[in-house]
Amino acid sequence: MADGEAILTAFAKRLERRFPLTVDDFQAIVALPCSRREIEPNQYLMREGDRPKFCSFLISGLLFRHKIVADGGRQIVSVHTPGDLVDLQNILLGEADHNVQALTAAGVAQIPHELVMDLAFSHPNIGKALWRESMIEASVFREWVANVGRRDARARTAHMMCELATRREAAGLGRRETYELPMTQEQIGDALGLTAVHVNRTLKSLQDEGLIVRSKRSVAISDWERLRVVGDFTSNYLHLGRG
């Protein structure tokens, strides 16, 4: 199978997790033209104010979305793993209202907006799958707002670790007990509304309690159930099932 066809098949399978697709739907997706773009660590895929022309499907590596406020502070609002649709909302919104940047070296498949839009209208099942994808994305954003706004530092950190582990496992990227997390303490702090010093103290506390073991680029979850309880984590907002 050619690289482009394999990527588009993975894209179709992602959408099929959101809504049942027919053989014709699958074939229409696999027939789309797409281009692959490689991104270096810290390179921007998209900046606020850009007018993107492509829908990006993450093939490899990690990306994150963030906003920069007037004093230069950064709030990371999501982390994306392979299999994610990174900028679906820009098909309709036109102008980017946030930044998307590479956390690691990453590869994305880019499909022209107008072709994705045409497919959504000509194949209703695909349209429903894309719609549901955007609704689940909004659900995850709501949970991140609640996490930063109402949980303490220990719970915020545990919750984010549980979410990333669960999403990776659901995407078939490995077991939830061990996964790559190449985020600096500053980046974790920007995702959780904490200082790097507070993040360091919190991670040490979770490790001292026997909940996690963290190396420079990975996390091992030693006690999933206790970490889940500490993080007030349930996976319902991720809507991992279909329907």
Side-chain angles (χ1 to χ4, degrees), residues 48-198:
E48 185 169 355
D50 286 351
R51 302 189 69 85
K53 302 299 183 184
F54 299 94
C55 176
S56 297
F57 177 64
L58 183 56
I59 304 164
S60 63
L62 300 174
L63 302 176
F64 64 99
R65 302 195 212 196
H66 63 89
K67 294 279 292 185
I68 303 294
V69 296
D71 66 359
R74 178 179 65 180
Q75 180 66 48
I76 294 176
V77 297
S78 64
V79 175
H80 290 280
T81 58
D84 283 357
L85 285 162
V86 180
D87 52 3
L88 189 60
Q89 71 285 341
N90 289 319
I91 293 175
L92 291 174
L93 296 181
E95 182 176 319
D97 55 32
H98 62 280
N99 307 289
V100 178
Q101 194 171 359
L103 187 60
T104 67
V108 297
Q110 297 189 307
I111 306 167
H113 280 174
E114 65 270 15
L115 298 183
V116 178
M117 179 76 78
D118 290 345
L119 209 59
F121 281 97
S122 61
H123 293 260
N125 292 337
I126 296 175
K128 290 174 184 176
L130 291 167
W131 187 7
R132 194 161 194 269
E133 180 77 28
S134 65
M135 293 172 71
I136 292 171
E137 189 174 273
S139 175
V140 175
F141 281 149
R142 287 191 291 273
E143 189 68 23
W144 276 54
V145 170
N147 198 41
V148 172
R150 287 299 175 183
R151 295 187 179 106
D152 63 23
R154 184 166 168 266
R156 289 181 211 178
T157 306
H159 190 280
M160 186 182 76
M161 289 184 169
C162 286
E163 179 189 303
L164 294 177
T166 299
R167 286 170 49 203
R168 285 178 55 82
E169 185 175 63
L173 299 173
R175 297 173 67 245
R176 67 188 180 188
E177 286 79 9
T178 304
Y179 63 96
E180 183 184 23
L181 184 63
M183 296 177 73
T184 66
Q185 291 180 3
E186 179 183 3
Q187 289 167 336
I188 293 172
D190 286 350
L192 300 177
L194 302 170
T195 65
V197 171
H198 204 163

